């Protein structure tokens, strides 16, 4: 059998598009409706997705209260409790949640994810983030965001402790940021250890991923960017005694799919038209880790930016795109609001499948994290239109091969 | 409401060598909780195994309590679900979020069991090898509880608008910052989880010493106490009521449940004991501590509970849908 791509269903609030909640068919109460999420999980499982993916922030998304009130992202489920609930309502699909190394302790986090792994029969994964938002920092006693390098040093030690605990490491840890005396008091994971996911794309983030990740989630607009990232990360693994296949690289993709290309474009335009300018600019500002983009002319170019302590890799991506395509702040804001810096494909199932196939077979991706623009409609569309197309082409499974998330992803079971 | 007339019944399931069963452990536990629900009990209290407390490995549930609660919430519909969670293991913002989310998942049936007693050695696994002194731990826990309850109240019940055409998701003025700056924590807020369907999750305090009674009177919805002598219990109950009233709260706003372990003598003797203690007006009900085994729960649910009902001491059915409504606490089901 030839290699098949891996697929994640990235569930988020009313949808990944910033204005998703305003779409007539979006489920506007998603953030307080567990049945909605159970339905999404069942849709993704019926379509044989490898996993559900949830991101997280321990705080509001927007510093500006008025902007926040024009988005649906200020309230929602805490993802570990959400996925634990979904574990009892699904039987095969992987369950991956984001959690921060800056605002947790490794012993508690390792124990919580191991519990999710037992509840789900070996389907859990942890997406490690270091948290780049000062809004989050203010909820944890910090007066400012810690420098990028410090966050990553803490994350490296955190990951080392967690993976040691999951592997039943008995002796204690006494390090720079953490000390842990005992082994975990739960039995070993049904899949050896929960799956470790990472998303940091900076140099230090890539090294951490090459050393410890099983799956890497990334943002790449063009084939060349995706390919360069893929080759770079896989190239770093040998230094840590790992095989290239030990990490599955899954770029985010935000498809807008319909029966015809014209319908897909229409659907996309309908969503874009729902973005208020101030919301789009605020979102762009937060991705650039600057606070005052609103004071520049909205139809002018992006100003020169200081290097951020927040999300370095994301900032570089936005700047690169604005220069390349000559986009104004307004255009850039709309563009990024749509897919949050991720790759967007608007078209028919065959067109979407063509694009995914080209990146997969061109060695730029092992699979994709699918970011539907609104729920449930765009997840349904991907499941009923694109998945069967990929299956017919032999690019995606007809049924699950195993029981655990490691089985689905074709990952080794750790010793 | 005849809160005075009906006793409140909780059950704590502690890890015990499992029944021989081919079922996955979660399914087995779910069956137990469904049984407790069929018996109409107010709530199940899920302990969280204390790491390094010397528990035997084969007697430990393979689950952390808050994640277990979330999964159980989807396979039950009435019974309250209370999980223990440590103030050492979680940051207050994270814990407040977890329970706020659990409360929405369970449609207003969740509660947090916080202990006022520091688990021996726990802090050594959380980068605090020196632990806390008893007085520091008490002040820290009090501050912690205040933060969590404050965060739970950060969104007004009518804050969410969902107005698609006007583009307004919520009303900014109905979302409140906490801006807490204290001795141990500073937390800006607000929580990024919506208001609870039962106003706030239920706060259940246990592990209390004498010095914790005022904190409990100010903050708790339920307190769990060990049983003492009959005379002592009556004085203790009256004292708690006075303290609650002194905090400006309705004296019945805190329910006192006494921890009880099953004794020899069969269901009639057990029902006699509970009836006597309840009728002496020394508590609001009981937290029955049972091993997580079907046989133990069946005896209580099938024999003791019906006996208490025949005596008119326990309600026939659930009267509401939230844990607060089961407990006769304000905030339940009025949202």
């Amino acid at each position: 059998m030839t290699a098949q791509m891996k697929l994640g269903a990235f569930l988020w609030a009313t949808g990944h598009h910033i204005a998703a909640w305003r779409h007539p068919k979006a489920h506007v109460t998603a953030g307080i409706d567990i049945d909605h999420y159970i339905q999404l999980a069942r849709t993704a499982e019926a379509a044989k997705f490898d996993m559900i993916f949830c991101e997280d922030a321990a705080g509001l998304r927007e510093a500006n209260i008025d902007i926040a009130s024009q988005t649906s992202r200020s309230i929602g489920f805490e993802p570990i409790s959400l996925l634990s609930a979904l574990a009892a309502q699904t039987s095969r699909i992987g369950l991956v949640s984001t959690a921060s190394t800056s605002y947790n302790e490794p012993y508690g986090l390792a124990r919580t994810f191991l519990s999710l792994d037992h509840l789900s029969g070996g389907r859990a994964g942890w997406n490690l983030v270091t948290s780049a938002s000062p809004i989050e920092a203010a909820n944890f006693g910090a007066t400012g965001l810690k420098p990028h390098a410090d966050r990553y040093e803490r994350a490296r030690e955190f990951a080392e402790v967690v993976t040691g605990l999951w592997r039943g490491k008995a002796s204690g840890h006494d390090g720079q940021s953490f000390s842990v005396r005992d082994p975990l008091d739960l039995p070993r994971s049904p899949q050896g250890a929960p799956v470790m996911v990472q998303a940091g794309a900076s140099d230090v983030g890539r090294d951490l991923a090459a050393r410890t990740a099983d799956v890497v989630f990334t943002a790449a607009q063009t084939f060349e960017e995706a390919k360069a990232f893929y080759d770079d990360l896989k190239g770093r693994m040998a230094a840590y005694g790992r095989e290239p296949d030990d990490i599955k690289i899954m770029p985010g993709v935000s498809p807008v799919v319909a029966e015809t290309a014209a319908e897909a474009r229409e659907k996309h335009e309908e969503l874009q038209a729902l973005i208020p300018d101030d919301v789009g600019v605020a979102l762009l500002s937060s991705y650039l880790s600057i606070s005052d983009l609103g004071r520049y002319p909205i139809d002018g170019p992006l100003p020169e930016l200081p290097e951020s302590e927040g999300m370095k890799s994301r900032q570089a991506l936005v700047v690169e795109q604005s220069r390349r395509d000559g986009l104004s702040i307004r255009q850039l804001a709309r563009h990024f609001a749509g897919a949050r810096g991720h790759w967007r494909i608007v078209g028919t199932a065959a067109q979407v499948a063509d694009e995914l196939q080209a990146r997969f077979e061109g060695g730029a991706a092992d699979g994709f994290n699918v970011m539907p623009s609104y729920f449930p409609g765009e997840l349904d569309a991907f499941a009923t239109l694109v998945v069967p197309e990929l299956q017919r082409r032999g690019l995606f499974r007809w049924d699950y091969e195993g029981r655990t998330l490691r089985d689905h992803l074709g990952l080794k079971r750790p010793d | 409401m005849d809160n005075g007339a009906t006793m409140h019944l909780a059950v704590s399931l502690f890890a015990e060598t499992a029944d021989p069963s081919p079922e996955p452990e979660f399914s087995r536990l779910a069956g137990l909780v469904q049984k407790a629900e069929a018996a109409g009990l107010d709530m199940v209290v899920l302990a969280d195994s204390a790491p390094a407390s010397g528990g035997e490995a084969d007697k430990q549930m393979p689950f952390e309590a808050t994640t277990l609660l979330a999964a159980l919430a989807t396979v039950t519909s009435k019974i309250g679900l209370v999980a223990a969670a440590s103030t050492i293991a979680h940051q207050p913002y994270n814990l407040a979020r977890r329970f706020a989310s659990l409360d929405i998942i369970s449609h207003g049936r969740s509660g947090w069991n916080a202990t006022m007693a520091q688990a021996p050695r726990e802090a050594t696994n959380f980068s605090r090898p020196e632990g806390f002194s008893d007085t520091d731990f008490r002040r820290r826990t009090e501050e912690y509880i205040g933060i969590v309850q404050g965060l739970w109240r950060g969104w007004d019940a009518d804050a969410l608008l969902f107005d698609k055409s006007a583009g307004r998701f919520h009303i900014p003025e109905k979302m409140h910052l906490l801006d807490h700056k204290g001795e141990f924590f500073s937390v800006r807020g607000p929580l990024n989880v919506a208001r609870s369907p039962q106003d706030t999750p239920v706060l259940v305090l246990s592990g209390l010493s004498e010095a914790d009674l005022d904190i409990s009177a100010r903050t708790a919805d339920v307190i769990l106490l060990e049983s003492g002598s009959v005379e002592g219990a009556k004085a203790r109950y009256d004292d708690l009521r006075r303290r609650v009233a002194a905090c400006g709260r309705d004296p019945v706003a805190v329910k006192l449940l006494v921890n009880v372990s099953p004794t020899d003598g069969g269901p009639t003797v057990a029902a006699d004991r509970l009836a006597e203690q309840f009728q002496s007006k020394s508590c609001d009900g009981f937290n029955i501590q049972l091993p997580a085994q079907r046989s133990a729960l069946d005896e209580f649910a099938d024999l003791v509970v019906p006996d208490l009902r025949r005596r008119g001491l326990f309600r026939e059915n659930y009267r509401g849908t939230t844990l607060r409504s089961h407990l006769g606490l304000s905030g339940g089901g009025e949202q």
Side-chain angles (χ1 to χ4, degrees), chain A residues 23 56-57 69 105 115 139 182, chain B residues 67 97 121 125 127 168 189:
Chain A
H23 191 277
D56 189 39
S69 75
E105 283 282 320
S115 178
N139 291 325
D182 300 301
Chain B
T67 47
R97 281 182 80 204
R121 278 182 60 165
N125 290 321
S127 309
R168 194 64 72 178

Side-chain angles (χ1 to χ4, degrees), chain A residues 22-43:
Chain A
R22 300 185 63 194
H23 191 277
K25 290 183 185 159
H27 188 68
V28 71
T29 58
I32 54 171
D33 183 357
I34 186 65
D35 293 335
H36 168 73
Y37 276 94
I38 291 172
Q39 194 52 52
L40 296 182
R42 288 180 176 159
T43 299

Side-chain angles (χ1 to χ4, degrees), chain B residues 154-162 169-175:
Chain B
W155 290 82
D156 293 347
D158 56 353
L160 302 182
L161 279 180
F162 304 121
F169 190 82
H170 66 262
I171 304 168
E173 297 75 29
K174 292 181 184 279
M175 178 191 86

Side-chain angles (χ1 to χ4, degrees), chain B residues 2-335:
Chain B
D2 51 349
N3 294 325
T6 188
M7 68 169 65
H8 297 288
L9 289 175
V11 62
S12 282
L13 298 172
F14 59 84
E16 186 47 77
T17 311
D19 300 314
S21 161
E23 267 185 300
E25 183 64 0
F26 173 72
S27 307
R28 201 184 68 81
L29 288 172
L32 295 180
V33 176
Q34 286 160 349
K35 176 77 188 186
E37 180 171 78
L41 304 188
D42 290 26
M43 61 191 190
V44 171
V45 181
L46 305 168
D48 202 46
S49 55
S53 62
E56 295 160 59
D58 67 334
K59 288 192 177 179
Q60 260 157 1
M61 297 189 196
F63 310 119
E64 177 276 339
T66 63
T67 47
L68 175 60
L69 193 164
L72 289 171
T74 71
V75 297
T76 54
S77 61
K78 292 284 181 64
I79 194 164
L81 300 165
V82 175
S86 155
T87 54
I88 299 291
H90 303 264
Q91 286 278 333
Y93 191 87
N94 290 338
L95 183 135
R97 281 182 80 204
R98 178 75 49 82
F99 279 94
S101 186
L102 290 171
D103 215 24
I104 295 173
I105 290 169
S106 66
H107 302 286
R109 296 185 288 128
S110 76
W112 170 36
N113 177 201
T115 180
M116 301 298 296
Q118 191 173 191
R121 278 182 60 165
E122 187 184 18
T124 62
N125 290 321
F126 292 89
S127 309
R128 288 265 192 180
E130 70 287 1
F132 294 94
S133 71
D134 285 348
T135 54
D136 278 1
F137 186 78
R138 177 171 297 114
R139 286 203 316 285
R140 183 180 179 277
T141 306
E142 182 175 17
E143 185 181 334
Y144 192 116
I145 288 170
I147 293 166
V148 169
Q149 291 186 320
L151 287 169
W152 283 342
R153 297 186 177 108
W155 290 82
D156 293 347
D158 56 353
L160 302 182
L161 279 180
F162 304 121
D163 187 344
K164 287 184 177 185
S165 56
R168 194 64 72 178
F169 190 82
H170 66 262
I171 304 168
E173 297 75 29
K174 292 181 184 279
M175 178 191 86
H176 309 285
L177 296 182
L178 184 69
D179 263 334
H180 171 89
K181 288 190 178 61
E183 181 184 358
F184 297 93
F185 303 101
S186 81
V187 180
R188 185 157 185 269
L191 214 57
N192 55 0
V193 181
R195 184 80 169 211
S196 156
Q198 58 171 341
D199 194 35
T200 62
V202 169
L203 176 64
V204 178
L205 290 183
S206 58
L208 308 184
S209 62
E210 181 74 22
D212 302 315
L213 285 175
D214 282 327
I215 300 170
S216 309
R218 264 197 303 281
T219 62
D221 297 305
V222 175
I223 66 174
L224 306 178
L225 292 179
E226 299 307 318
S227 56
S229 68
V230 175
E231 310 78 54
K234 173 76 179 136
R236 182 175 71 177
Y237 187 58
D238 295 340
D239 174 55
L240 178 72
R241 286 272 159 97
R242 272 193 299 276
R243 289 179 198 249
V244 173
C247 300
R249 301 177 74 190
D250 183 337
V252 299
V254 180
K255 304 299 177 189
L256 191 166
L257 306 190
V258 174
N259 292 327
V260 176
S261 298
T263 50
D264 297 332
T268 310
V269 173
D272 283 347
R273 265 185 68 210
L274 299 181
E276 182 190 358
Q277 209 171 336
F278 181 68
Q279 286 169 324
S280 73
K281 298 197 187 311
S282 63
C283 65
D284 297 299
F286 304 93
N287 177 34
I288 313 296
Q289 298 180 301
L290 296 174
Q293 290 170 331
R294 191 66 197 226
S295 52
L297 182 63
D298 281 353
E299 173 166 314
F300 183 76
D302 295 337
L303 300 174
V304 181
V305 171
D307 193 337
L308 293 169
R309 283 209 174 98
R310 278 193 297 275
R311 302 177 196 212
L313 296 175
F314 186 59
R315 56 174 165 64
E316 288 293 328
N317 290 303
Y318 291 110
R319 294 179 182 137
T321 58
T322 67
L323 177 53
R324 283 184 184 276
S325 69
H326 304 340
L327 292 166
L329 296 169
S330 63
E334 293 153 341
Q335 295 295 307

Side-chain angles (χ1 to χ4, degrees), chain A residues 58-64 132-140 145, chain B residues 188-189:
Chain A
L60 296 185
R61 304 286 175 161
E62 316 294 341
N64 181 308
S133 155
I135 303 175
E136 292 177 87
N139 291 325
F140 298 89
L145 199 57
Chain B
R188 185 157 185 269

Side-chain angles (χ1 to χ4, degrees), chain A residues 92-241:
Chain A
R92 290 297 188 89
I93 197 162
L95 304 164
V96 177
S97 175
T98 299
S100 170
T101 54
S102 293
Y103 310 122
N104 286 288
E105 283 282 320
Y107 191 90
L109 187 129
R111 190 165 176 267
T112 302
F113 275 94
L114 186 52
S115 178
L116 176 62
D117 212 26
H118 282 292
L119 283 168
S120 61
R123 298 185 282 132
W126 168 40
N127 177 41
L128 177 159
V129 297
T130 67
S131 299
S133 155
I135 303 175
E136 292 177 87
N139 291 325
F140 298 89
T143 48
L145 199 57
K146 292 214 172 63
H148 189 269
D150 292 6
R151 292 205 313 273
Y152 267 91
E153 179 46 33
R154 180 179 159 105
R156 191 201 55 74
E157 187 185 338
F158 197 116
E160 180 190 321
V161 177
V162 168
T163 51
L165 288 166
W166 282 343
R167 282 159 182 72
K169 186 167 172 281
S171 58
H173 171 89
D174 189 5
Q176 188 71 36
S177 300
F178 308 107
S179 66
V180 174
R181 180 160 161 171
D182 300 301
L184 288 177
D185 58 338
L186 305 182
R188 184 79 189 255
S189 156
Q191 57 176 339
V195 169
M196 175 81 95
V197 184
Q198 282 174 42
S202 65
D203 191 54
V204 55
R206 291 181 195 203
D207 268 330
L208 181 61
R211 183 200 290 242
T212 59
D214 299 309
V215 173
V216 169
F217 177 39
T218 162
Q221 296 276 342
T222 65
F223 178 87
E224 290 69 30
E225 280 169 6
K227 176 76 179 154
F229 177 84
Y230 188 94
D231 291 342
D232 177 82
L233 184 60
K234 298 254 172 170
R236 291 174 193 239
M237 296 174 66
Y240 301 105

